[in-house]
């Protein structure tokens, strides 16, 4: 097999994996609100299994909560007004730079544009770009380089207030 044939095959496999990941996300959304709990799919040599666990909602009267002195309130970073999350597009390993030793895509304090690459999530030996959905300043990076991340886990927060 020629080297160019291998490259074409790799591109085809990469696009297939990306398509399957997109379809899986769509399937997960389609299952919301249904009684279906588990689905297995076999596509293009890939096995995908989606299983939902029951979430119990408990309604309670609001109560005053004061965290211990010096302890941040749970979710404080995500709840800060004007800070929007950049989330992992899929499960994998998060990288801040294109290669080991390379300059990170962004650092805290950097200005980012909507659609700008801010990281990479590696899944099944495929590098998937992480882009910002917002224009603003990187306020906080929530995960370390090389950390395993979950689907829709907050990776960083973008301050969209323009310093106001």
């Amino acid at each position: 097999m020629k080297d160019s044939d291998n490259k074409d095959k790799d591109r085809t496999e990469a696009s297939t994996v990306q398509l399957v990941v997109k379809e899986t996300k769509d399937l997960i959304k389609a299952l919301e609100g249904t009684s279906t709990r588990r689905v297995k799919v076999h596509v293009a040599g890939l096995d995908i299994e989606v299983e939902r666990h029951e979430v119990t909602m408990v309604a309670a009267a609001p109560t005053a909560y004061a965290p211990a002195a010096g302890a941040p309130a749970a979710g404080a970073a995500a709840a800060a007004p004007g800070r929007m999350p950049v989330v992992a597009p899929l499960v994998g390993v998060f990288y801040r730079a294109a290669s080991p030793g390379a300059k990170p895509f962004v650092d805290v304090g950097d200005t980012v544009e909507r659609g700008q690459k801010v990281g990479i999530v590696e899944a099944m030996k495929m590098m998937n770009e992480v882009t910002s959905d917002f224009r603003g300043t990187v306020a906080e990076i929530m995960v370390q380089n090389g950390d395993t991340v979950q689907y829709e886990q907050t990776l960083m927060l973008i301050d969209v207030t323009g310093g106001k």
Side-chain angles (χ1 to χ4, degrees):
M1 188 179 276
K2 293 181 183 176
D3 195 32
S4 63
D5 291 341
N6 284 334
K7 288 180 183 177
D8 289 341
K9 182 180 177 193
D10 288 345
R11 278 190 216 112
T12 302
E13 288 176 1
S15 63
T16 300
V17 169
Q18 288 175 341
L19 177 63
V20 170
V21 168
K22 181 194 176 305
E23 292 296 325
T24 301
K25 288 179 186 178
D26 292 345
L27 177 61
I28 290 167
K29 287 180 183 175
L31 292 177
E32 290 176 6
T34 70
S35 62
T36 304
R37 309 236 341 166
R38 186 179 203 170
V39 174
K40 287 184 181 181
V41 179
H42 179 79
V43 177
L46 297 172
D47 290 317
I48 299 170
E49 186 172 341
V50 177
E51 183 173 351
R52 295 187 317 163
H53 296 279
E54 188 173 325
V55 177
T56 305
M57 301 292 277
V58 177
T63 58
Y65 169 73
R83 288 191 173 192
M84 304 304 291
V86 173
V87 298
L90 66 165
V91 175
V93 179
F94 176 72
Y95 295 107
R96 294 189 56 208
S99 62
K103 182 179 181 275
F105 294 109
V106 295
D107 285 309
V108 172
D110 288 354
T111 300
V112 296
E113 297 296 326
R114 188 171 195 271
Q116 180 178 336
K117 186 190 306 188
V118 295
I120 296 172
V121 174
E122 177 187 9
M124 297 174 17
K125 300 191 185 217
M126 298 294 305
M127 299 300 178
N128 300 277
E129 289 186 358
V130 177
T131 58
S132 175
D133 289 335
F134 311 99
R135 182 185 190 289
T137 304
V138 178
E140 187 174 352
I141 299 175
M142 312 290 287
V143 296
Q144 299 297 314
N145 192 54
D147 281 356
T148 300
V149 296
Q150 299 300 313
Y151 173 65
E152 291 192 347
Q153 177 180 345
T154 300
L155 304 174
M156 60 186 69
L157 297 172
I158 307 295
D159 182 349
V160 297
T161 62
K164 295 179 182 169

